[in-house]
Amino acid sequence: LVYDPLRCSKLSIDEKRDLVYHVSNSPDGATEMLHAWSRHEILQILCAELGKERKYTGLTKSKIIEHLLKIVYEKKSAKNVSEMETEDCERIPKRQRKSDAAATTSAPDIDSENYNSNNNYNNKTVYCKNSACKAKLNRGDLFCKRCSCCICRQYDDNKDPSLWLICNSDPPFVGVSCGMSCHLECALRHENSGILKDRQDKGLDGSFCCVSCRKVNDLL
């Protein structure tokens, strides 16, 4: 089924999405399968994942596939984190729960309302406000490092890849990268990105310097 485009074309959108998630465990296999599909089929799945209709007329088929798989990997990663948190909650020893209940019963003088309010505040998990991301944030984080611009610290409802720059380890600039992303417009205005119009540093021709970690990346 994975390598039979004719059979795949007869599947529903939801069945195709499930198939993409299934083969995404093997990036090479997923890419090979999607290249055998039509551009229209891939765009249908991408729009279903984003929850919005987009044409992406300026992107090649390979770029659309790359963007789709990136969204799939991010959603799977967020799901795995959520499942791990659920498992951690279920592993609380029963003996500890009983002792907590006994302590509550034997101490009726405690202002339970204030205690529970403070306890819930301290244990409250903070998530990214972007409905397409919902990544877990540390309480001290000023912005979501997974979906927001590291310069203006704002996210887009629909992260159009043609409007963003991402720090990565793709050739020819291999090496450790921070994975941070930023708006192309923000990078064009930021002096540390090395792509200002009056910049004299010709060593960054066709590339940009990540504002967050200073790694050189491919601008084109």
Side-chain angles (χ1 to χ4, degrees), residues 5-11 13 16 33-34 36-47 61 68:
L6 292 178
R7 292 180 64 189
C8 289
S9 64
K10 298 177 182 179
L11 298 177
I13 293 297
K16 289 178 182 178
M33 179 193 75
L34 289 171
W37 292 6
S38 68
R39 180 188 178 94
H40 177 68
E41 288 178 303
I42 301 170
L43 281 175
Q44 279 185 319
I45 300 172
L46 178 57
C47 291
K61 185 176 181 180
L68 171 60

Side-chain angles (χ1 to χ4, degrees), residues 105-208:
T105 303
S106 60
D109 294 333
I110 295 178
D111 187 344
S112 59
E113 183 177 352
N114 292 336
Y115 174 79
N116 290 332
S117 177
N118 292 333
N119 192 45
N120 290 336
Y121 175 78
N122 291 332
N123 294 330
K124 185 178 180 181
T125 303
V126 180
Y127 293 96
C128 175
K129 295 180 180 179
N130 184 358
S131 59
C133 176
K134 292 293 185 181
K136 183 179 179 181
L137 305 180
N138 295 321
R139 189 167 291 277
D141 288 347
L142 299 177
F143 66 101
C144 179
K145 298 178 182 178
R146 196 171 91 178
C147 74
S148 301
C149 173
C150 64
I151 299 176
C152 72
R153 300 180 178 178
Q154 301 296 318
Y155 64 84
D156 296 347
D157 291 332
N158 179 26
K159 192 172 182 179
D160 187 339
S162 64
L163 304 178
W164 286 73
L165 297 176
I166 301 175
C167 181
N168 55 51
S169 300
D170 294 344
F173 303 105
V174 296
V176 179
S177 62
C178 66
M180 292 279 199
S181 57
C182 65
H183 290 108
L184 176 59
E185 289 294 331
C186 292
L188 287 170
R189 293 192 296 266
H190 200 288
E191 59 181 4
N192 290 336
S193 65
I195 51 178
L196 287 174
K197 291 183 178 179
D198 57 352
R199 181 80 174 185
Q200 298 298 320
D201 185 1
K202 296 185 179 181
L204 286 175
D205 185 27
S207 59
F208 76 98

Side-chain angles (χ1 to χ4, degrees), residues 31 34-35 39 42-43 46 50 55-71 159-166 168 170-171 218-220:
T31 302
L34 289 171
H35 269 292
R39 180 188 178 94
I42 301 170
L43 281 175
L46 178 57
L50 294 173
K55 294 183 179 180
Y56 291 105
T57 54
L59 294 182
T60 63
K61 185 176 181 180
S62 296
K63 284 294 183 181
I64 295 175
I65 292 174
E66 180 183 339
H67 186 42
L68 171 60
L69 291 177
K70 181 180 178 182
I71 292 174
K159 192 172 182 179
D160 187 339
S162 64
L163 304 178
W164 286 73
L165 297 176
I166 301 175
N168 55 51
D170 294 344
D218 186 15
L219 176 63
L220 300 181

